[in-house]
Amino acid sequence: MRKYRRFFCVSVIETIQIQGHGLRVDCKPGHGVPLLLCNGWGGNIEVFDPLVDSLGTRPVLRFDVPGIGGSQLPKIPLRMSRLAAMAEDIMRHYRLAEVDVAGYSWGGALAQELARRNPQAVRKLVLMATSPGHIMVPAWPNIMLAFADRHWLPVALKPARLFEPDLLVRVGYRLFGGDVLRRNPMALLPNLRQLEQPSVPAMIWQLAALFGWSSLPWLGRLTQPTLILAGKHDRVINPLNLIILRRLIPDARLQWLDGGHLFPILDAPQLTAGHMADFLDAHPKVVPLAGRRKQPARRAG
């Protein structure tokens, strides 16, 4: 069989022990190769409900990284390589020999690291609103308009308030971009109701995993067919980073979507899921691994 034509699991959110840490995992059964979804900074698994619901019957695995949501906070920060190893152990726990991997924002770095570490287990790669890591093109200067709001001062004094709904609704458009928030700042509230505010150590630990980590030296050696999704009006991740990823990953294509940084969960979850489904369901050309590494990056279609 094609590894996993039917992925059997109990559709439930559970906590499993991985490398001595309790990780909260959501296992959604379905048909086809399972999709391992890596969340963004500070985001628990429920935040991506709009995208997962739009994926229909596709099986999906997602988990709270250590310290986020219902997962146990480690005593010290974990490197990106260790987090990728934990993702591999989640696959082993569910007896998965092959998955597709999708990563959003911070989770895009984890997805890249996992694809590099275990190319035999990662069939296809989807990168959304992400970058090559610590060495990246900074955001456009207009993002500073968000920080001109006087309500950032309490955040500076108490970082735990960073994820408070009142603040994010107030600065949402200036921070994330996108026409949805420009027309209706309150549109962010349903997503924020799903957000479990992380602790300050958890936020710092997750950022520390990116410190010194960069995929630039080895992007050209990735062998997976890769779909890169970018929001045209993303203010958090400079779109130039997505162009760099497309240029350096040998078998990659770039798709632009109308929306800001939150396009997979707010601006266009159904359209995002549609592009993902078309890409994941397509039969890739059989290209020798050595040939994939040498072929030039394709231009965006």
Side-chain angles (χ1 to χ4, degrees), residues 58-135:
R58 186 174 303 277
V60 179
L61 267 178
R62 46 184 171 156
F63 64 100
D64 289 337
V65 298
I68 302 299
S71 290
Q72 180 182 349
L73 178 69
K75 295 181 180 180
I76 59 174
L78 303 179
R79 302 299 300 158
M80 192 63 70
S81 57
R82 175 76 179 278
L83 295 171
M86 296 177 82
E88 292 174 334
D89 285 346
I90 291 174
M91 293 170 55
R92 296 187 187 99
H93 178 87
Y94 290 100
R95 300 181 181 180
L96 298 175
E98 180 184 65
V99 296
D100 296 322
V101 177
Y104 166 74
S105 194
W106 181 94
L110 179 56
Q112 293 171 63
E113 178 68 19
L114 183 58
R116 180 191 71 87
R117 283 174 54 93
N118 202 336
Q120 294 78 20
V122 179
R123 187 185 69 124
K124 291 185 177 182
L125 186 62
V126 179
L127 302 175
M128 300 177 283
T130 190
S131 75
H134 186 72
I135 303 174

Coordinates of all heavy atoms in Angstrom, one line a residue, residues 58-135:
R58 N -8.5 14.9 5.2 CA -7.0 14.6 5.2 C -6.6 14.3 6.7 O -7.0 15.1 7.6 CB -6.3 15.8 4.7 CG -4.7 15.5 4.6 CD -4.1 16.7 3.9 NE -4.7 16.9 2.5 CZ -4.3 16.2 1.5 NH1 -3.4 15.3 1.5 NH2 -4.9 16.5 0.3
P59 N -5.9 13.3 7.0 CA -5.4 13.0 8.3 C -4.4 14.0 8.7 O -3.5 14.4 8.0 CB -4.8 11.6 8.3 CG -4.5 11.4 6.8 CD -5.4 12.2 6.0
V60 N -4.5 14.5 10.0 CA -3.6 15.6 10.5 C -3.1 15.3 11.9 O -3.9 14.9 12.7 CB -4.3 17.0 10.5 CG1 -3.4 18.1 11.0 CG2 -4.8 17.3 9.1
L61 N -1.9 15.4 12.1 CA -1.2 15.4 13.4 C -0.7 16.8 13.7 O 0.0 17.4 12.9 CB -0.1 14.4 13.4 CG -0.3 13.0 13.9 CD1 1.0 12.2 13.8 CD2 -0.9 12.9 15.3
R62 N -1.0 17.3 14.9 CA -0.5 18.6 15.3 C -0.2 18.5 16.8 O -0.9 17.7 17.5 CB -1.4 19.7 15.0 CG -2.8 19.5 15.3 CD -3.7 20.6 14.9 NE -5.1 20.3 15.0 CZ -6.1 21.1 15.2 NH1 -5.9 22.4 15.2 NH2 -7.4 20.8 15.3
F63 N 0.7 19.3 17.3 CA 1.1 19.1 18.7 C 1.5 20.5 19.2 O 2.0 21.4 18.5 CB 2.2 18.1 18.9 CG 3.5 18.5 18.2 CD1 4.6 19.0 19.0 CD2 3.7 18.3 16.9 CE1 5.8 19.4 18.4 CE2 4.9 18.6 16.3 CZ 6.0 19.2 17.0
D64 N 1.3 20.7 20.5 CA 1.9 21.9 21.2 C 3.3 21.6 21.5 O 3.7 20.6 22.1 CB 1.1 22.1 22.6 CG -0.3 22.5 22.4 OD1 -0.6 23.1 21.3 OD2 -1.1 22.3 23.3
V65 N 4.2 22.5 21.0 CA 5.6 22.4 21.3 C 5.8 22.6 22.8 O 5.0 23.1 23.5 CB 6.5 23.4 20.5 CG1 6.3 23.2 19.0 CG2 6.1 24.8 20.9
P66 N 6.9 22.1 23.4 CA 7.1 22.1 24.8 C 7.0 23.5 25.4 O 7.5 24.5 24.9 CB 8.6 21.6 25.0 CG 8.8 20.7 23.8 CD 8.0 21.3 22.7
G67 N 6.1 23.6 26.4 CA 5.8 24.9 27.1 C 4.6 25.6 26.6 O 4.1 26.5 27.2
I68 N 4.1 25.2 25.4 CA 3.0 25.9 24.8 C 1.7 25.1 25.0 O 1.8 23.8 24.9 CB 3.2 26.1 23.3 CG1 4.5 27.0 23.1 CG2 2.1 26.8 22.6 CD1 4.5 28.3 23.7
G69 N 0.6 25.7 25.2 CA -0.7 25.0 25.3 C -0.6 24.1 26.5 O -0.3 24.4 27.6
G70 N -0.9 22.8 26.2 CA -0.9 21.8 27.2 C 0.3 21.0 27.3 O 0.3 20.0 28.1
S71 N 1.4 21.4 26.6 CA 2.6 20.6 26.7 C 3.5 21.1 27.8 O 3.5 22.3 28.2 CB 3.4 20.7 25.4 OG 2.8 20.0 24.4
Q72 N 4.3 20.2 28.4 CA 5.1 20.5 29.6 C 6.3 21.4 29.2 O 6.9 21.3 28.2 CB 5.7 19.2 30.1 CG 6.6 19.3 31.3 CD 7.1 17.9 31.7 OE1 6.7 16.9 31.2 NE2 8.1 17.9 32.6
L73 N 6.5 22.4 30.1 CA 7.6 23.4 29.9 C 8.9 22.7 30.3 O 9.1 22.3 31.4 CB 7.4 24.6 30.7 CG 8.5 25.7 30.7 CD1 8.5 26.3 29.3 CD2 8.3 26.7 31.7
P74 N 9.9 22.6 29.4 CA 11.2 22.1 29.8 C 12.0 23.0 30.7 O 11.7 24.2 30.8 CB 11.9 21.9 28.4 CG 11.3 22.9 27.6 CD 9.9 23.0 28.0
K75 N 12.9 22.4 31.5 CA 13.7 23.2 32.4 C 14.7 24.2 31.7 O 15.0 25.2 32.2 CB 14.5 22.3 33.3 CG 13.6 21.5 34.2 CD 14.4 20.6 35.1 CE 13.5 19.7 36.1 NZ 14.3 18.9 37.0
I76 N 15.1 23.8 30.5 CA 16.0 24.6 29.7 C 15.5 24.7 28.3 O 14.7 23.8 27.9 CB 17.5 24.1 29.7 CG1 17.5 22.7 29.2 CG2 18.1 24.1 31.2 CD1 18.9 22.1 29.0
P77 N 15.9 25.7 27.5 CA 15.5 25.8 26.1 C 16.0 24.6 25.3 O 17.1 24.1 25.6 CB 16.1 27.1 25.6 CG 16.4 27.9 26.8 CD 16.7 26.9 27.9
L78 N 15.2 24.2 24.4 CA 15.5 23.1 23.5 C 15.9 23.6 22.1 O 15.3 24.5 21.6 CB 14.4 22.1 23.4 CG 13.8 21.5 24.7 CD1 12.7 20.5 24.4 CD2 14.9 20.8 25.4
R79 N 17.0 23.0 21.6 CA 17.4 23.5 20.3 C 16.4 23.0 19.2 O 15.6 22.0 19.4 CB 18.8 22.9 20.0 CG 19.9 23.4 21.0 CD 20.0 24.9 21.0 NE 20.4 25.4 19.7 CZ 20.2 26.7 19.3 NH1 19.6 27.5 20.1 NH2 20.6 27.1 18.2
M80 N 16.5 23.6 18.0 CA 15.6 23.2 16.9 C 15.8 21.7 16.5 O 14.8 21.0 16.2 CB 15.8 24.1 15.7 CG 14.7 24.0 14.7 SD 13.1 24.5 15.2 CE 13.3 26.2 15.4
S81 N 17.0 21.2 16.6 CA 17.3 19.8 16.3 C 16.6 18.9 17.3 O 16.1 17.8 16.9 CB 18.8 19.6 16.3 OG 19.4 19.9 17.5
R82 N 16.6 19.3 18.5 CA 15.9 18.5 19.6 C 14.4 18.4 19.3 O 13.8 17.4 19.5 CB 16.3 19.0 21.0 CG 15.6 18.3 22.1 CD 16.1 17.0 22.4 NE 15.5 16.3 23.5 CZ 15.7 16.6 24.8 NH1 16.6 17.5 25.2 NH2 15.0 15.9 25.8
L83 N 13.9 19.6 19.0 CA 12.4 19.7 18.7 C 12.1 18.8 17.5 O 11.0 18.1 17.5 CB 12.0 21.1 18.5 CG 12.1 22.0 19.8 CD1 11.9 23.5 19.4 CD2 11.2 21.6 20.8
A84 N 12.9 18.8 16.5 CA 12.7 18.0 15.3 C 12.7 16.5 15.7 O 12.0 15.7 15.2 CB 13.7 18.3 14.2
A85 N 13.7 16.1 16.6 CA 13.8 14.7 17.1 C 12.5 14.3 17.8 O 12.0 13.2 17.7 CB 15.0 14.6 17.9
M86 N 11.9 15.3 18.6 CA 10.7 15.0 19.3 C 9.5 14.8 18.3 O 8.7 13.9 18.5 CB 10.4 16.1 20.2 CG 11.4 16.3 21.3 SD 11.1 17.7 22.5 CE 9.9 17.0 23.6
A87 N 9.5 15.6 17.2 CA 8.5 15.4 16.2 C 8.7 14.0 15.5 O 7.6 13.3 15.2 CB 8.6 16.4 15.1
E88 N 9.9 13.5 15.3 CA 10.1 12.2 14.8 C 9.6 11.1 15.8 O 9.0 10.1 15.3 CB 11.6 12.0 14.6 CG 12.2 12.8 13.4 CD 13.7 12.7 13.3 OE1 14.3 12.4 14.3 OE2 14.2 12.9 12.2
D89 N 9.8 11.4 17.1 CA 9.3 10.4 18.1 C 7.7 10.4 18.1 O 7.1 9.3 18.4 CB 9.8 10.7 19.4 CG 11.3 10.4 19.6 OD1 11.8 9.6 18.7 OD2 11.9 10.8 20.5
I90 N 7.1 11.5 17.8 CA 5.6 11.5 17.7 C 5.2 10.6 16.5 O 4.2 9.9 16.7 CB 5.1 13.0 17.5 CG1 5.3 13.8 18.8 CG2 3.6 13.0 17.2 CD1 5.0 15.2 18.7
M91 N 5.9 10.7 15.4 CA 5.6 9.9 14.3 C 5.8 8.4 14.7 O 4.9 7.6 14.3 CB 6.5 10.2 13.1 CG 6.3 11.6 12.5 SD 7.6 12.0 11.3 CE 7.6 10.6 10.2
R92 N 6.8 8.1 15.4 CA 7.0 6.7 15.8 C 5.9 6.2 16.8 O 5.5 5.0 16.7 CB 8.4 6.5 16.5 CG 9.6 6.8 15.5 CD 10.9 6.4 16.2 NE 12.0 6.9 15.4 CZ 12.7 8.0 15.5 NH1 12.4 8.8 16.6 NH2 13.7 8.3 14.8
H93 N 5.5 7.1 17.6 CA 4.4 6.8 18.6 C 3.2 6.3 17.8 O 2.5 5.4 18.3 CB 4.1 8.0 19.5 CG 3.0 7.8 20.4 ND1 3.2 7.2 21.7 CD2 1.6 8.0 20.3 CE1 2.0 7.1 22.3 NE2 1.1 7.6 21.5
Y94 N 2.9 7.0 16.7 CA 1.7 6.7 15.9 C 2.0 5.7 14.8 O 1.2 5.5 13.9 CB 1.0 7.9 15.4 CG 0.4 8.7 16.5 CD1 1.0 9.8 17.1 CD2 -0.9 8.4 17.0 CE1 0.4 10.6 18.1 CE2 -1.5 9.1 18.0 CZ -0.8 10.2 18.6 OH -1.4 10.9 19.6
R95 N 3.2 5.2 14.8 CA 3.7 4.2 13.8 C 3.6 4.7 12.4 O 3.0 4.1 11.4 CB 2.9 2.9 13.9 CG 3.0 2.3 15.3 CD 2.3 1.0 15.4 NE 2.4 0.4 16.8 CZ 1.9 -0.7 17.2 NH1 1.1 -1.4 16.3 NH2 2.1 -1.2 18.4
L96 N 4.0 5.9 12.2 CA 4.0 6.5 10.8 C 5.4 6.5 10.2 O 6.4 7.0 10.8 CB 3.6 8.0 11.0 CG 2.1 8.2 11.5 CD1 1.9 9.7 11.7 CD2 1.1 7.6 10.6
A97 N 5.5 5.9 9.1 CA 6.8 5.8 8.4 C 7.0 6.9 7.4 O 8.1 7.3 7.1 CB 6.9 4.5 7.7
E98 N 5.9 7.6 7.1 CA 6.0 8.7 6.1 C 4.9 9.7 6.4 O 3.7 9.3 6.7 CB 5.8 8.1 4.7 CG 5.8 9.2 3.6 CD 5.6 8.6 2.2 OE1 4.4 8.1 2.0 OE2 6.5 8.5 1.4
V99 N 5.2 11.0 6.3 CA 4.2 12.0 6.5 C 4.6 13.2 5.5 O 5.7 13.2 4.9 CB 4.3 12.6 7.9 CG1 3.9 11.6 8.9 CG2 5.7 13.2 8.2
D100 N 3.6 14.0 5.3 CA 3.8 15.3 4.7 C 3.9 16.3 5.9 O 3.3 16.1 6.9 CB 2.6 15.7 3.8 CG 2.5 14.8 2.6 OD1 3.5 14.4 2.0 OD2 1.3 14.5 2.2
V101 N 4.7 17.3 5.7 CA 5.0 18.2 6.8 C 4.6 19.7 6.3 O 5.1 20.1 5.3 CB 6.4 18.2 7.3 CG1 6.7 19.2 8.4 CG2 6.7 16.8 7.8
A102 N 3.8 20.4 7.1 CA 3.5 21.8 6.9 C 3.9 22.6 8.1 O 3.6 22.2 9.2 CB 2.0 21.9 6.6
G103 N 4.6 23.7 7.9 CA 5.0 24.5 9.0 C 4.6 26.0 8.7 O 4.8 26.5 7.6
Y104 N 4.1 26.6 9.7 CA 3.7 28.0 9.6 C 4.6 28.9 10.5 O 4.8 28.6 11.7 CB 2.2 28.1 10.1 CG 1.8 29.6 10.3 CD1 1.6 30.5 9.3 CD2 1.6 30.0 11.6 CE1 1.2 31.8 9.5 CE2 1.2 31.3 11.9 CZ 1.0 32.2 10.8 OH 0.6 33.5 11.1
S105 N 5.1 30.0 10.0 CA 5.9 31.0 10.7 C 7.0 30.3 11.5 O 7.9 29.7 10.8 CB 4.9 31.8 11.6 OG 5.6 32.9 12.1
W106 N 7.0 30.4 12.8 CA 8.1 29.7 13.6 C 8.1 28.2 13.2 O 9.2 27.6 13.1 CB 7.8 29.9 15.1 CG 8.8 29.3 16.0 CD1 9.9 29.8 16.5 CD2 8.8 27.9 16.4 NE1 10.6 28.9 17.3 CE2 9.9 27.7 17.3 CE3 8.0 26.8 16.2 CZ2 10.2 26.5 17.9 CZ3 8.2 25.6 16.8 CH2 9.4 25.5 17.7
G107 N 6.9 27.6 13.1 CA 6.8 26.2 12.8 C 7.4 25.8 11.4 O 7.8 24.7 11.2
G108 N 7.6 26.8 10.5 CA 8.2 26.6 9.2 C 9.7 26.2 9.4 O 10.2 25.4 8.6
A109 N 10.3 26.8 10.4 CA 11.7 26.4 10.7 C 11.8 25.0 11.2 O 12.7 24.2 10.8 CB 12.3 27.4 11.7
L110 N 10.9 24.6 12.1 CA 10.8 23.2 12.5 C 10.6 22.3 11.4 O 11.2 21.2 11.3 CB 9.8 23.1 13.6 CG 9.6 21.7 14.2 CD1 10.9 21.2 14.8 CD2 8.5 21.8 15.3
A111 N 9.7 22.6 10.5 CA 9.4 21.8 9.3 C 10.6 21.6 8.4 O 10.9 20.5 8.0 CB 8.2 22.4 8.5
Q112 N 11.4 22.7 8.2 CA 12.6 22.6 7.4 C 13.6 21.7 8.1 O 14.3 20.9 7.4 CB 13.2 24.0 7.2 CG 12.4 24.9 6.4 CD 12.9 26.3 6.4 OE1 14.0 26.6 6.0 NE2 12.1 27.3 6.9
E113 N 13.8 21.8 9.4 CA 14.8 21.0 10.1 C 14.4 19.5 10.1 O 15.2 18.7 9.9 CB 14.9 21.5 11.6 CG 15.8 20.7 12.5 CD 17.3 20.8 12.1 OE1 17.6 21.8 11.4 OE2 18.1 20.0 12.5
L114 N 13.1 19.3 10.2 CA 12.6 17.9 10.1 C 12.9 17.3 8.8 O 13.3 16.1 8.6 CB 11.1 17.8 10.5 CG 10.5 16.4 10.6 CD1 11.2 15.5 11.6 CD2 9.0 16.6 11.0
A115 N 12.6 18.1 7.7 CA 12.8 17.6 6.3 C 14.3 17.3 6.1 O 14.7 16.4 5.4 CB 12.3 18.6 5.3
R116 N 15.2 18.1 6.7 CA 16.6 17.9 6.5 C 17.1 16.7 7.3 O 17.9 15.9 6.7 CB 17.4 19.1 7.1 CG 18.9 19.0 6.9 CD 19.6 20.1 7.7 NE 19.5 19.9 9.2 CZ 20.3 19.1 9.9 NH1 21.3 18.5 9.3 NH2 20.2 19.0 11.2
R117 N 16.6 16.5 8.5 CA 17.0 15.4 9.3 C 16.5 14.0 8.8 O 17.3 13.0 8.9 CB 16.5 15.6 10.8 CG 17.2 16.6 11.6 CD 16.5 16.8 12.9 NE 16.3 15.5 13.6 CZ 17.1 15.0 14.5 NH1 18.2 15.7 14.8 NH2 16.9 13.8 15.1
N118 N 15.4 14.0 8.3 CA 14.7 12.7 8.0 C 14.1 12.7 6.6 O 12.8 12.7 6.5 CB 13.7 12.3 9.0 CG 13.5 10.8 9.1 OD1 13.6 10.1 8.1 ND2 13.0 10.3 10.2
P119 N 14.8 12.8 5.5 CA 14.2 13.0 4.2 C 13.4 11.7 3.8 O 12.5 11.8 3.0 CB 15.4 13.2 3.3 CG 16.6 12.6 4.0 CD 16.3 12.9 5.5
Q120 N 13.8 10.6 4.3 CA 13.0 9.4 4.0 C 11.6 9.4 4.6 O 10.7 8.8 4.0 CB 13.7 8.1 4.5 CG 15.1 7.8 3.8 CD 16.2 8.7 4.4 OE1 16.1 9.2 5.5 NE2 17.3 8.8 3.6
A121 N 11.4 10.1 5.7 CA 10.1 10.1 6.3 C 9.2 11.3 5.9 O 8.0 11.2 6.0 CB 10.3 10.2 7.8
V122 N 9.8 12.3 5.3 CA 9.1 13.5 4.9 C 8.9 13.4 3.4 O 9.8 13.6 2.6 CB 9.8 14.8 5.3 CG1 9.0 16.0 4.8 CG2 10.0 14.9 6.8
R123 N 7.7 13.2 2.9 CA 7.4 13.0 1.5 C 7.3 14.4 0.8 O 8.0 14.6 -0.2 CB 6.0 12.3 1.3 CG 5.7 11.9 -0.1 CD 4.3 11.3 -0.2 NE 3.3 12.3 0.1 CZ 2.3 12.6 -0.8 NH1 2.2 12.0 -2.0 NH2 1.4 13.5 -0.5
K124 N 6.5 15.3 1.3 CA 6.4 16.7 0.8 C 6.4 17.7 1.9 O 6.1 17.4 3.0 CB 5.1 16.8 -0.1 CG 5.1 16.0 -1.3 CD 3.8 16.3 -2.2 CE 3.8 15.5 -3.5 NZ 2.7 15.8 -4.3
L125 N 6.7 18.9 1.5 CA 6.9 20.0 2.5 C 6.1 21.2 2.1 O 6.1 21.6 0.9 CB 8.4 20.3 2.5 CG 8.9 21.3 3.6 CD1 8.7 20.8 5.0 CD2 10.4 21.6 3.4
V126 N 5.4 21.8 3.0 CA 4.6 23.0 2.8 C 5.1 24.1 3.8 O 5.1 23.8 5.0 CB 3.1 22.8 3.0 CG1 2.4 24.1 2.8 CG2 2.6 21.8 2.0
L127 N 5.6 25.2 3.3 CA 6.1 26.3 4.2 C 5.2 27.5 4.0 O 5.0 28.0 2.9 CB 7.6 26.6 3.8 CG 8.5 25.4 3.9 CD1 9.9 25.9 3.4 CD2 8.6 24.9 5.3
M128 N 4.7 28.0 5.1 CA 3.8 29.1 5.1 C 4.3 30.3 5.9 O 4.6 30.1 7.1 CB 2.4 28.7 5.7 CG 1.7 27.5 4.9 SD 0.2 27.0 5.7 CE 0.8 26.0 7.1
A129 N 4.4 31.4 5.3 CA 4.7 32.7 6.0 C 5.9 32.5 7.0 O 5.9 32.8 8.1 CB 3.5 33.2 6.8
T130 N 7.0 31.9 6.4 CA 8.2 31.6 7.3 C 9.4 32.1 6.6 O 9.4 32.9 5.7 CB 8.2 30.0 7.5 OG1 9.2 29.7 8.5 CG2 8.5 29.3 6.2
S131 N 10.6 31.7 7.2 CA 11.9 32.2 6.8 C 12.9 31.2 7.0 O 12.7 30.1 7.5 CB 12.2 33.5 7.7 OG 12.6 33.0 9.0
P132 N 14.2 31.5 6.5 CA 15.3 30.5 6.7 C 15.9 30.6 8.1 O 17.0 30.0 8.3 CB 16.3 30.9 5.6 CG 16.0 32.3 5.4 CD 14.6 32.5 5.6
G133 N 15.2 31.3 9.1 CA 15.7 31.2 10.4 C 16.4 32.5 10.9 O 15.9 33.6 10.6
H134 N 17.4 32.3 11.8 CA 18.0 33.5 12.5 C 18.5 34.5 11.5 O 18.4 35.7 11.7 CB 19.1 32.9 13.4 CG 19.7 34.0 14.2 ND1 19.1 34.5 15.3 CD2 21.0 34.6 14.2 CE1 19.9 35.4 15.9 NE2 21.0 35.5 15.2
I135 N 19.1 34.0 10.4 CA 19.6 35.0 9.4 C 18.5 35.1 8.3 O 18.2 34.2 7.5 CB 20.9 34.4 8.7 CG1 22.0 34.2 9.8 CG2 21.4 35.4 7.6 CD1 23.2 33.5 9.2

